[in-house]
Amino acid sequence: GVFLRTVLSWLCDRVGPLTVLCSGFSSVCVYMSSVDVRMASDDVTQLADSLAKTQVNEGELSYKGRGLKLDNAQSVNEMVKDIEEFDGLRALRLEGNTVGVEAAQTIAKALETKSDLQCCYWSDMFTGRLRAEIPPALVSLGDAIVMAGARLKVLDLSDNAFGPDGVKGIELLLKSSACHSLQELRLNNCGMGIGGGKILAAALTVCYKESSALGSPLKLKVFIAGRNRLENDGATALAQAFQVIGSLEEVHMPQNGINYPGVTALATAMQHNPQLRVLNLNDNTFTKKGAIAMAKALQHLRNVQVINFGDCLVRSEGAIAIAETLRNGLPLLKKLNLSFGEVTEEAALTVATSVQHKDQLEKLDLNGNCLGDEGCENLRELMEGINMSHVLGSLSDDEGEPEDDEDDDDDEDHDDGEEEDDEDVEEEEEEEEEEQHNDSNQFSTPPSAPRPPDVSSFLSFPSPDKLLRLGEKRSSLIQQQVDVMDVHRTAEVFLQISSVYKEDNTEVKSAVLESIDAVMSKVFSTPSFQWLSFVSSLLVMLGLLKSEDKLKPVKVVPGHLQCLEHAVKQSYFPKEHIAVLNAFMARQNKSLESCNGARDRLKSTLQKLTTES
């Protein structure tokens, strides 16, 4: 093999003719006539350097990290010779070199007879190449593997910025029988994008279906595709493939711009992979919806050992949902990362409590959340109390208790844009109504009265006039529009109605409060209504809590607070919720500064009701 030839060549250069007897790679016995070999230390160093250039493990030929610039056939002559003479080649490592099209075609020619090849470690091998060069190079190498009749187990093309076209370059390989045996697919940091993700998903699905038809279905175990800009559509396409394959043990998809729709699709897919051990979705954006979906999926999995949802904005409600799953499931869990997720103290303590019986837990990472100094101390004390302080990671980057009045400039700009858009749409809607009215007048005499607005029109663009024009049945009409299962929408409806409240207009005031009572009495009389989520959504929209699920704070007007003050005094409003509202209203918040009078009256009412209860 290459290792032995390297040793013999080195010795022959120094000691002349030799008779060599070998026993595997473990011993080399050299008998020399009339030659006394004394190896100086520098000779040993030279031998080590020579061996390092061409590393050979069992069945593996490695050029890893040599920084070779392989442009043409001549530049790979030595490599081709090594490949051709390597009997039983099972792994070829080309990482850390740069391979051009002609060089790749020449290497591919040498691989056409290597039917034992199982592992292709080809990451970071196109540095400095034009993107157009990469697909044909990959096609040549892939075709050679198929022609050889090889059965791959590992294909690693990470850190090759080949984009969607690069995925097309391996598409036929992935669909071929050469990948029916594939166990590990590593495509980290390849810039696949949504298009590449869809191509990849389709190829894997074909591979699974065709291999299944032959009686040996694809059993992919490890999938790695971080930093690929897959986004929701790419992730969803891959999720569908994962659901079909069902054999995954490790999934790593960090930093892909995936939001809750994509996360939810992946959650569904994970339920169909019962052997899953590692799930890494770091630095995507779950929000509450995605986190809850993932928590439900984890209830179906018993073998998970590592969960990395760090920097995923799981938020407090998401963390609590995950904690509920932890309480009764995931018995083998070793590592849980919920760092930098805007998790508050209460939720963090809930998570900590849920892991107290996880005997195999090695690390719990809650760093970078919103606990505050006291919250961090409480968390440490809790972990110490359940004898698990050794698994709690550092809390040095805690962001402190959430400052409700701190919104990113980008968010504020986005909100302003939304308000402008709303105004434009409302103007267009009113113009459309006027045009319809004018059109109808062309065919009727005398002119008819303006068409009364429907409830959806009022809720989309609230105005006192639209509310009054709904007529005496407005309360029941609005009540019918409320889906108690959608707590976010219910909170929106509350604020939309209350936004048109007029203290000095008796008719409007009465219509608003009547509608508020109808909606609130319905939701609070429904046993399954999720009041905690409703209150959280309401607080978010009022700017008293950081946003969940990309909910954006509204521009608070006095009517919002005046209607809330009215609601908390009614018999339908559960008294146990008043303390929650009182705690948040007691904080200083810039979002309410424009409504000082209404704010102070609401605070006074909440404090009074809290004392009474």
Side-chain angles (χ1 to χ4, degrees):
V2 179
F3 174 88
L4 187 56
R5 288 206 318 274
T6 304
V7 174
L8 294 179
S9 176
W10 184 89
L11 288 173
C12 286
D13 288 343
R14 285 158 178 75
V15 299
L18 306 172
T19 300
V20 181
L21 300 176
C22 302
S23 176
F25 288 106
S26 59
S27 62
V28 178
C29 301
V30 181
Y31 296 87
M32 299 172 292
S33 56
S34 304
V35 178
D36 183 10
V37 181
R38 293 179 175 82
M39 297 176 65
S41 60
D42 58 338
D43 292 333
V44 176
T45 301
Q46 291 176 30
L47 174 59
D49 289 343
S50 180
L51 292 176
K53 290 180 180 178
T54 305
Q55 302 169 26
V56 183
N57 294 328
E58 187 176 356
E60 176 183 290
L61 176 60
S62 176
Y63 291 87
K64 179 179 180 180
R66 290 182 56 178
L68 301 175
K69 193 172 187 299
L70 308 173
D71 296 324
N72 50 40
Q74 184 178 0
S75 65
V76 294
N77 281 341
E78 179 184 348
M79 183 184 298
V80 166
K81 183 178 180 181
D82 290 340
I83 293 173
E84 290 175 342
E85 295 181 1
F86 199 124
D87 293 330
L89 178 64
R90 289 195 289 274
L92 178 60
R93 309 195 75 112
L94 299 177
E95 313 103 299
N97 299 288
T98 177
V99 182
V101 176
E102 184 181 336
Q105 292 170 341
T106 307
I107 294 170
K109 189 68 177 176
L111 291 175
E112 289 178 356
T113 60
K114 300 302 173 181
S115 59
D116 294 327
L117 186 64
Q118 297 177 354
C119 304
C120 298
Y121 299 104
W122 296 347
S123 64
D124 188 23
M125 70 173 199
F126 295 113
T127 301
R129 299 292 170 181
L130 296 175
R131 179 170 289 190
E133 294 183 82
I134 301 176
L138 291 173
V139 168
S140 298
L141 292 167
D143 288 349
I145 292 170
V146 175
M147 184 178 296
R151 293 292 183 268
L152 293 185
K153 290 184 178 180
V154 179
L155 178 60
D156 185 357
L157 288 167
S158 298
D159 300 316
N160 291 308
F162 48 50
D165 290 341
V167 184
K168 291 179 182 178
I170 59 172
E171 183 179 9
L172 293 179
L173 172 62
L174 290 173
K175 290 180 177 179
S176 73
S177 59
C179 286
H180 288 182
S181 54
L182 193 64
Q183 296 180 8
E184 298 184 17
L185 180 58
R186 302 170 181 266
L187 296 169
N188 199 57
N189 191 31
C190 290
M192 290 188 289
I194 294 172
K198 290 181 176 180
I199 296 169
L200 177 61
L204 289 174
T205 302
V206 169
C207 184
Y208 177 82
K209 290 181 177 179
E210 293 189 356
S211 61
S212 297
L214 296 174
S216 299
L218 171 68
K219 294 183 179 179
L220 188 66
K221 295 180 180 180
V222 177
F223 180 83
I224 301 176
R227 300 181 64 188
N228 271 290
R229 306 194 311 274
L230 294 170
E231 300 182 13
N232 289 331
D233 290 346
T236 299
L238 285 166
Q240 293 169 352
F242 296 162
Q243 186 166 334
V244 171
I245 294 169
S247 58
L248 289 167
E249 297 180 11
E250 294 187 26
V251 175
H252 302 261
M253 298 174 66
Q255 295 183 346
N256 269 296
I258 307 170
N259 298 325
Y260 79 84
V263 172
T264 300
L266 288 170
T268 301
M270 293 306 104
Q271 296 182 40
H272 297 270
N273 289 267
Q275 300 306 314
L276 188 69
R277 295 182 296 104
V278 178
L279 182 56
N280 175 10
L281 295 175
N282 185 280
D283 200 7
N284 290 291
T285 307
F286 282 37
T287 64
K288 186 189 72 174
K289 288 183 181 179
I292 290 177
M294 196 59 72
K296 291 179 179 178
L298 291 171
Q299 294 174 2
H300 300 273
L301 302 171
R302 303 290 296 176
N303 295 304
V304 175
Q305 298 177 14
V306 178
I307 296 174
N308 186 347
F309 296 161
D311 205 10
C312 284
L313 293 182
V314 297
R315 305 280 169 75
S316 295
E317 288 182 271
I320 289 172
I322 293 170
E324 288 300 318
T325 297
L326 286 169
R327 197 179 306 278
N328 299 310
L330 304 176
L332 305 180
L333 189 66
K334 293 182 178 180
K335 296 180 180 180
L336 174 62
N337 185 348
L338 296 178
S339 62
F340 298 94
E342 295 191 358
V343 177
T344 57
E345 176 188 354
E346 180 182 359
L349 295 176
T350 303
V351 171
T353 303
S354 70
V355 301
Q356 61 181 319
H357 299 302
K358 296 290 180 285
D359 297 334
Q360 298 189 40
L361 190 67
E362 298 172 0
K363 184 172 182 180
L364 172 62
D365 191 347
L366 290 168
N367 196 20
N369 283 300
C370 305
L371 312 186
D373 292 340
E374 184 176 348
C376 289
E377 187 59 32
N378 291 338
L379 178 59
R380 293 189 187 97
E381 290 179 1
L382 189 154
M383 294 297 287
E384 185 175 351
I386 60 176
N387 297 318
M388 298 191 74
S389 59
H390 60 286
V391 306
L392 181 63
S394 170
L395 299 174
S396 60
D397 294 320
D398 185 78
E399 297 185 357
E401 294 185 46
E403 293 292 338
D404 301 330
D405 56 344
E406 288 185 0
D407 294 313
D408 293 337
D409 293 337
D410 290 343
D411 292 342
E412 293 176 354
D413 293 341
H414 182 68
D415 287 346
D416 292 340
E418 286 183 343
E419 290 175 6
E420 291 171 5
D421 291 343
D422 289 350
E423 292 172 1
D424 292 342
V425 173
E426 183 172 7
E427 290 174 3
E428 292 172 6
E429 180 187 64
E430 291 174 353
E431 290 172 3
E432 181 181 350
E433 290 178 3
E434 183 177 352
E435 289 172 2
Q436 291 175 348
H437 171 60
N438 292 338
D439 289 344
S440 66
N441 285 347
Q442 295 176 9
F443 302 99
S444 62
T445 304
S448 59
R451 175 173 58 88
D454 57 20
V455 175
S456 60
S457 175
F458 164 70
L459 293 177
S460 297
F461 308 106
S463 72
D465 181 58
K466 286 183 179 180
L467 179 63
L468 295 178
R469 285 163 57 192
L470 288 175
E472 295 181 356
K473 294 183 179 181
R474 66 179 70 87
S475 297
S476 59
L477 292 174
I478 294 175
Q479 188 184 62
Q480 292 170 15
Q481 292 289 314
V482 176
D483 179 5
V484 295
M485 301 306 293
D486 189 344
V487 292
H488 301 311
R489 180 57 183 152
T490 301
E492 285 179 349
V493 169
F494 177 90
L495 294 177
Q496 287 163 340
I497 298 171
S498 59
S499 68
V500 303
Y501 179 89
K502 301 291 183 182
E503 181 68 31
D504 56 354
N505 188 320
T506 304
E507 186 178 12
V508 173
K509 176 180 178 180
S510 176
V512 169
L513 296 182
E514 177 185 300
S515 301
I516 289 290
D517 288 340
V519 171
M520 291 295 95
S521 60
K522 176 182 179 179
V523 299
F524 283 117
S525 64
T526 303
S528 60
F529 183 65
Q530 299 178 2
W531 69 266
L532 181 58
S533 296
F534 168 76
V535 172
S536 296
S537 297
L538 197 60
L539 292 171
V540 165
M541 293 177 188
L542 291 173
L544 302 176
L545 266 180
K546 289 190 176 180
S547 62
E548 296 281 354
D549 302 321
K550 293 189 175 178
L551 290 175
K552 301 298 182 183
V554 301
K555 182 179 180 181
V556 181
V557 297
H560 291 144
L561 306 183
Q562 289 165 327
C563 288
L564 185 56
E565 181 189 4
H566 167 82
V568 299
K569 293 189 290 186
Q570 306 309 307
S571 59
Y572 57 70
F573 199 95
K575 302 305 178 185
E576 61 268 27
H577 308 345
I578 293 174
V580 176
L581 290 173
N582 184 46
F584 281 95
M585 288 301 301
R587 299 179 178 182
Q588 293 296 321
N589 194 287
K590 290 183 179 179
S591 67
L592 305 183
E593 287 182 351
S594 62
C595 312
N596 288 338
R599 178 197 62 190
D600 293 342
R601 287 192 296 272
L602 175 57
K603 289 172 62 176
S604 176
T605 298
L606 290 171
Q607 290 170 0
K608 180 179 179 182
L609 292 172
T610 301
T611 302
E612 291 176 355
S613 61

